[in-house]
Amino acid sequence: MHLELPIVSFVSAALSLAPLPWHWRSGTIPTISIALWLFVSNIINGVNTIIWAGNVNVVDLVWCDISSKIIIGANVALPASVFCLCIHLERVSSVRNVSTSHTLKRRRQYIDALLCFGVPMIYMALHYIIQGHRIDIIEDFGCRANTYVSIPSIFLLWVPPLFFSLGSFVLSALAFRNFWIRRITFARHLQSNSALTPSRYFRLMAMSLVQMFWGIAVTAFNMWFTMRDGLRPWISFSDVHFNFSRVVVFPTIFIPQQDLLFTYLLWWAVPVSTFLFFIFFAFGRDAMKEYSACSAWIKRVIFRVSESSTKSKTGSLPS
């Protein structure tokens, strides 16, 4: 039993929400999306490690159906969110006339929401095509969506995250080129084209680059781990989904130690992504202002409660 897994999951879930308030106020859909997808993924992992700690009991299959699809969606949601963020960073760093009208800003937010939330929904639905049976249950790690490893799975499961990651790489290179061309007047250029400050811009850029390379590494490792035994032949849709309702369980005693180690390492991909996201925004100027405001609010609440308690006690004394 890995007692550290649920602890790390719920701590990571809390950390993913820490930068959310100021991203919400700024209306930056990609960073909001990253925070929400990481939060939900960590909660799912934490619950799974509690329910299936030391057992492979076939319980909570409805939870498994829902949570495993959400985890599948997160595989493409995070690269898609970074891709949207890189589009925004490249746009504000370019020489193009970037309009800041309310209508165009709202339109860009709709497009970002479609990529960050709509595309993962479609991705989750398409996963059914390459899903060989209902669910896998791994001891200590919980339920996982099954994938029929074949040529269609490469295009439906692995190509979309890699496509968004490579697109982010191209946009990041263009944004850096724009910065290098006007590096002397970059601060003034940002102020005239967006509400971003240079420090916030570079933090967003650095976070995007780190998440992009980390996402490519995790996707490549996961792809190799899944296809290490080769591809299976795709005969027909009905053949892949034969006896679809079955549940396959994997007690750790029957899992090779190397495969168990790889499963453990892949599980840590979500917490590490959360820590990387948190580090870039937890100690910036915006975060410090948020912490100060939160601390001041807590002090006001405590003062009001203590003051009302004192008045209540004073009023109860006999005249």
Side-chain angles (χ1 to χ4, degrees):
M1 295 175 63
H2 297 279
L3 296 178
E4 75 278 7
L5 299 184
I7 297 174
V8 169
S9 293
F10 293 122
V11 169
S12 300
L15 292 180
S16 66
L17 293 183
L20 187 60
W22 56 92
H23 290 307
W24 186 273
R25 284 196 294 270
S26 64
T28 310
I29 298 298
T31 49
I32 294 173
S33 170
I34 293 172
L36 293 179
W37 281 104
L38 288 174
F39 172 77
V40 173
S41 298
N42 281 299
I43 292 294
I44 289 173
N45 284 343
V47 172
N48 280 346
T49 55
I50 291 175
I51 295 176
W52 283 280
N55 72 86
V56 287
N57 298 330
V58 182
V59 296
D60 297 321
L61 289 183
V62 175
W63 161 264
C64 284
D65 292 334
I66 298 173
S67 63
S68 61
K69 287 296 183 183
I70 293 176
I71 293 297
I72 287 292
N75 291 336
V76 76
L78 296 175
S81 300
V82 173
F83 176 76
C84 289
L85 185 58
C86 290
I87 291 176
H88 175 63
L89 296 175
E90 191 280 330
R91 183 172 58 239
V92 299
S93 68
S94 67
V95 295
R96 298 189 300 271
N97 183 21
V98 182
S99 175
T100 57
S101 68
H102 178 74
T103 303
L104 289 179
K105 182 179 179 181
R106 183 67 64 184
R107 184 181 302 169
R108 286 195 297 267
Q109 287 179 332
Y110 288 147
I111 295 173
D112 289 343
L114 177 63
L115 287 172
C116 296
F117 298 101
V119 169
M121 297 297 178
I122 298 173
Y123 185 78
M124 286 186 271
L126 292 176
H127 176 261
Y128 176 73
I129 298 174
I130 53 174
Q131 185 175 356
H133 53 264
R134 183 173 181 180
I135 214 72
D136 291 333
I137 296 178
I138 306 172
E139 184 179 351
D140 292 335
F141 297 96
C143 45
R144 294 288 185 272
N146 172 262
T147 298
Y148 185 83
V149 183
S150 58
I151 292 178
S153 69
I154 296 176
F155 292 97
L156 292 177
L157 192 64
W158 307 115
V159 169
L162 291 174
F163 169 80
F164 285 118
S165 296
L166 293 176
S168 300
F169 178 80
V170 173
L171 291 168
S172 299
L174 292 174
F176 181 78
R177 173 183 172 274
N178 295 335
F179 158 72
W180 186 257
I181 291 174
R182 57 185 60 84
R183 57 191 179 278
I184 299 176
T185 60
F186 193 70
R188 269 188 287 122
H189 175 74
L190 280 183
Q191 292 175 358
S192 63
N193 286 276
S194 71
L196 289 175
T197 62
S199 62
R200 183 175 172 81
Y201 179 89
F202 288 122
R203 271 188 287 125
L204 288 171
M205 178 60 71
M207 189 274 295
S208 300
L209 289 172
V210 171
Q211 291 284 6
M212 177 192 65
F213 286 115
W214 171 247
I216 291 176
V218 171
T219 301
F221 181 74
N222 196 2
M223 187 177 181
W224 168 81
F225 176 64
T226 305
M227 299 192 301
R228 66 195 183 283
D229 295 327
L231 299 175
R232 302 172 66 182
W234 180 278
I235 299 174
S236 65
F237 182 85
S238 58
D239 177 74
V240 171
H241 293 81
F242 176 75
N243 194 17
F244 181 80
S245 60
R246 71 187 184 277
V247 176
V248 180
V249 298
F250 295 92
T252 54
I253 194 173
F254 297 123
I255 302 176
Q257 286 299 314
Q258 187 180 31
D259 291 355
L260 197 59
L261 174 62
F262 289 158
T263 302
Y264 184 75
L265 292 176
L266 282 171
W267 184 93
W268 275 91
V270 174
V272 170
S273 298
T274 306
F275 295 148
L276 293 174
F277 177 71
F278 175 76
I279 287 171
F280 282 105
F281 297 105
F283 307 106
R285 187 178 301 174
D286 295 333
M288 295 306 173
K289 290 181 180 178
E290 197 72 27
Y291 299 151
S292 300
C294 183
S295 176
W297 179 81
I298 293 174
K299 289 179 181 178
R300 287 197 301 269
V301 171
I302 294 175
F303 177 76
R304 289 173 184 171
V305 171
S306 61
E307 188 180 32
S308 62
S309 177
T310 303
K311 288 181 179 179
S312 176
K313 290 179 181 179
T314 304
S316 63
L317 292 173
S319 59

